[in-house]
Amino acid sequence: MAGGSGAEIDHIFKLLLIGDSGVGKSSLLLRFTADTFDDLSPTIGVDFKLKLLTMSGKRLKLTIWDTAGQERFRTLTSSYYRSAQGVILVYDVTRRDTFTDLSDVWLKEVELYSTNPDCIKMLVGNKVDRDAERVVSKQEGIAFARQYGCLFLECSAKTRANVQLCFEELVQKILDTPSLIADTKAFKKNLLRPDEPYTPQSAPGAGNCTC
Amino acid sequence: MEELGSVHRYAAGALLAIALNQAQIHRLQLVPDILGSDDGPSMSNTLEDQGVLPWSSQEFGLLHHIFGYLKIDPHAWPGIEKTAEAADAKHHIGPYIRILQEENLETASKSSASSGNSPSSTNSSSSTGKPEKTLAALAKAVDAMTISLEEYAASRPEPAHARAVEDATSSEEAYKQNDKRSSKPKSASAQKSAQRWASMKKPLLDRAASSSDLSHKDTKKKTDRASAYDASSSEPEDKEASERRILVAQRKVAVLYELLTACVADTPEEKAGKSVLNAGYDARQRVALRLLALWLDVDWKKVAAMELMVAYMAMEAEKVREEERAASHTDDEHKTTKWQKWKRGGIIGAAAVTGGALLALTGGLAAPAIAAGLTALAPAFAAVVPAVGIGGLATAVGSAAGSVAVAASFGAAGAGLAGTKMARRTGGVDEFMFLPIGDNHQQGRLAVGIVISGIAMEAEDYTLPWEGSDGELERYALRWESKELIALSTAIEDWLASSAARELVKAGAMMTVLAGLVAALAWPVALLSATDWIDSRWTIAVDRADKAGKILAKCLLGGSQGNRPVTLIGFSLGARVIFSCLEYLAKKGNDASIVERVVLLGAPLTLDRQRWENARKVVAGRFINAYSSNDWILGVVYRSSFMTTGLAGIQKVEIPGVENIDVSDIISGHSMYLAKTKEILAALDLDSFFPIYPSKLEGPLDPDSP
């Protein structure tokens, strides 16, 4: 990224994809950013993608961190929760353990490491194209989402069903949450960097703002 | 390579990337005045904000060959780079270090995620016992090397003292850091500068408990060196915990070793058709390693020992390759293919291209002669590494001799011989030559030091002020324009001895002058008239210093130091030589690949912000300005500029990334630098990443920071 991103960006959001290994986080992201589908090898550490989006008249820059689901990387990914406005929890509708792990493992990680108390969580059941093998029903997903206060969608990175929508809903919700966009706005004025951390001591931000 | 799991290797690569950028950020910040209460402007922590390309970015080519060497999946590279570039990168340091402390999880993950582990990792997980053994062997070798180096240094009477002082200060500092860690850095009461530092050292904070134990162990090692060898291997007091701790420490050493090898190794990498020669051991990489060693709580001395080991390995590998080359050499071979071979080898080709043209200029900082280095080191190694043996070590750790062509770092071998005089008058300078000093020559040291005197009463003064501890540097003194310099120095001395000057000193006129409150009009008439005849000599010397700096820069650009990071230290006009050199490097678009550290003592340089910032840009690591407000000679000879813009040798330089140290109490006159430089340098502790001395040096060494 060569700094000069041309058009004015209204908000910069940091999103995070988490969930067990093999649920399709990277595929989901690849579908969203490049609209392709590929047989991907497991993510090593973290991956990063950028996506520009215009929603309700706002120009948005999404910085999306795609974390490795494998347990061996768990320690390492903990610091990526920092200052994320949105977290996408992905499970595989054909593997129940990936669903139960969300509450057993991943939600706890979010609680533990997220620095944005209002951070939006989105529950995503992937691989709905393999309906025959489905073991987690949509109702269960809805119940889960209600219980933990998440948004919910089922999608398929393979058939591209709902993929776009899933990111858009999340972003819309972030846009609707004043406490989340307050920060990103401040950064927009002061910093070009997308993933500036939310630092409590610099919270007012307006102090630097000469507008 | 299998000694470190793929996760550990990944983390190692990422940590180096982060360290690179953090070191770069550190360079752009106003160095906090440790004692003083002034708080620098709060800087945003991103490089891009300041319109600077991060060192981790591809353009600099500092990382990709390392990732490749570490066998990190190329798919993971962008993620690492982005992580390192992110504004909150320093928050990632902790987790990445913590993962190094975790056991190799490969086996555990294999059962759960059988879907597609990389083939290399499956191989390694089959036998968990062996890699641990090699880790231990490596750690032991490094320990032994460190100890033998220290003993070697201690065997020389003079430097031994300096070393001991350094040891004391550094261990003292370690304890202080521990204290800092234990106090919560987020508490509002904490000093601002301390806070910033603490946040830089956050990872250390994260594991305060274990590391303090480790540093205890370290100090113990220092006190009784003899038993240190056993201490690391046979001391199973609290069994598992200590075993684990040892393993973690060993792993950290291995990580640094791997990274170091990767930095030095020349992985043949083709970039869009043309094969690009790795620039060797880059100054920025060394600075990043220095920071990383601090994060990992590994003593830099150990890293210095590793540098030697890696160098030795590289030389060995090169020897083998040389022999193969000689064996397979045939006359009908086409010239270009031979050329390519050389390029891949990285040794002679570089010399022919860069060395040849500049041979006349270089005056010859010799690259370590490979054969000589081998013989010098071989006995030491045989004694030091009995457990693994050289070959064993080479194959065990990184298989340096394998697919990886090593050692572009030794670059232009034999581009010149140390001490060769300049063939003829060049660039308006009559004399310009490097004199090897210290004992570290021809030993495969991976860092070069060039020291430059700026006052000289006699020829000896070019080398004498610099005698003493070499540290890990292969040092050269630059002798330049001795005629002019001696003339100037004597002129000043003579004038000082004159009664007029003595009267002035007695009257305290000089102090008034330097208070900076007196307008130029109010200068004592006697002072002005007396200095007239110094001025002409001074002007000539300054001019020559600037020219010599340019030549020095050309030498460095030509690679006569052998593509190794260079530390430049100079006092008085010597500092001016360095500054001119830096400016020339900046003009030529060098991006901090060569110069690692700079120390300017009593520099006759005006405070032109733009020029200082330019000079700062080409220095990867610390940039120190030592000044003495008692240095009135400097004030006198430079009175015009001193009055208007300020003078570096007399006052602070408020430029981001420049450390200032007040040596007023040590330096009461300009020529004092001749005698006191050694002392000041010892106090600076150049080996640490952060400045750990008080901003003012008082009397004889008393490094008491708050």
Side-chain angles (χ1 to χ4, degrees), chain A residues 1 3 14 21 41-42 44-48 65 71-73 75-76 78-80 82-83 191-193 195-197, chain B residues 6-7 10 44 46 48-49 73 76 79 82-83 85-88 91-92 95-96 99 102 105-106 109 116-117:
Chain A
M1 281 183 344
K14 176 178 175 182
S21 183
S41 54
I44 309 214
V46 280
D47 198 6
F48 173 88
W65 295 89
E71 197 175 344
R72 59 199 177 120
F73 291 110
T75 310
L76 206 151
S78 62
S79 54
Y80 290 85
R82 250 188 101 77
S83 69
L191 306 156
L192 299 165
R193 294 291 303 149
D195 24 28
E196 180 64 21
Chain B
S6 63
V7 181
Y10 174 83
S44 60
T46 51
E48 213 168 289
D49 285 345
D73 190 326
K82 276 291 157 197
T83 300
E85 282 170 33
D88 54 353
H91 298 291
H92 295 309
Y96 276 92
I99 208 154
E102 284 172 9
L105 295 165
E106 234 102 309
S109 68
N117 251 335

Side-chain angles (χ1 to χ4, degrees), chain B residues 323-608:
Chain B
E323 278 160 8
E324 278 171 5
R325 210 178 288 147
S328 69
H329 180 79
T330 41
D331 281 329
D332 54 337
E333 217 172 359
H334 199 275
K335 259 199 171 174
T336 45
T337 54
K338 202 163 63 182
W339 182 239
Q340 273 161 1
K341 237 184 184 176
W342 276 353
K343 263 182 159 174
R344 232 174 297 133
I347 299 289
I348 301 164
V353 178
T354 57
L358 283 161
L359 202 63
L361 269 187
T362 48
L365 282 190
I370 283 163
L374 260 178
T375 46
L377 261 178
F381 259 90
V384 148
V385 205
V388 248
I390 301 293
L393 202 61
T395 45
V397 187
S399 56
S403 63
V404 185
V406 197
S409 278
F410 301 103
L417 289 167
T420 319
K421 279 185 192 172
M422 238 175 18
R424 58 198 161 84
R425 195 184 151 95
T426 327
V429 171
D430 288 327
E431 188 186 21
F432 185 95
M433 62 194 272
F434 294 102
L435 309 169
I437 53 174
D439 298 330
N440 283 346
H441 291 271
Q442 307 283 313
Q443 289 195 1
R445 295 281 175 170
L446 286 180
V448 174
I450 296 176
V451 294
I452 310 173
S453 292
I455 313 165
M457 305 300 166
E458 48 201 282
E460 268 190 342
D461 289 338
Y462 281 100
T463 51
L464 215 56
W466 309 104
E467 302 223 312
S469 168
D470 282 317
E472 77 278 9
L473 297 173
E474 181 176 305
R475 297 195 307 157
Y476 297 84
L478 175 64
R479 183 171 160 172
W480 59 287
E481 298 299 81
S482 50
K483 223 184 284 166
E484 307 296 338
L485 213 55
I486 290 172
L488 172 70
S489 306
T490 347
I492 293 175
E493 277 304 287
D494 288 351
W495 181 72
L496 280 180
S498 75
S499 55
R502 247 186 265 137
E503 284 304 308
L504 281 170
V505 175
K506 229 182 267 168
M510 307 312 174
M511 296 302 124
T512 347
V513 167
L514 291 182
L517 299 166
V518 196
L521 281 176
W523 281 55
V525 180
L527 186 62
L528 286 182
S529 60
T531 53
D532 266 358
W533 60 288
I534 296 179
D535 282 354
S536 57
R537 287 187 168 84
W538 174 257
T539 314
I540 295 172
V542 162
D543 175 60
R544 296 290 166 88
D546 291 347
K547 281 173 179 158
K550 218 180 238 184
I551 298 177
L552 177 60
K554 282 176 184 161
C555 286
L556 297 180
L557 286 171
S560 44
Q561 76 283 10
N563 292 335
R564 292 174 289 174
V566 176
T567 300
L568 299 170
I569 308 172
F571 61 79
S572 184
L573 284 168
R576 182 139 186 145
V577 173
I578 292 173
F579 196 83
S580 150
C581 164
L582 297 178
E583 280 193 308
Y584 189 78
L585 288 176
K587 204 172 114 195
K588 289 286 157 191
N590 182 271
D591 41 30
S593 60
I594 298 172
V595 182
E596 189 199 352
R597 293 167 296 189
V598 163
V599 184
L600 305 179
L601 305 138
L605 289 160
T606 54
L607 299 185
D608 181 330

Side-chain angles (χ1 to χ4, degrees), chain B residues 607-621:
Chain B
L607 299 185
D608 181 330
R609 192 174 182 88
Q610 190 55 49
R611 289 179 63 190
W612 276 82
E613 276 173 359
N614 284 345
R616 182 66 186 94
K617 263 181 215 151
V618 296
V619 182

Side-chain angles (χ1 to χ4, degrees), chain B residues 107-125:
Chain B
T107 30
S109 68
K110 215 173 72 173
S111 53
S112 67
S114 54
S115 44
N117 251 335
S118 61
S120 67
S121 61
T122 36
N123 286 342
S124 69
S125 51

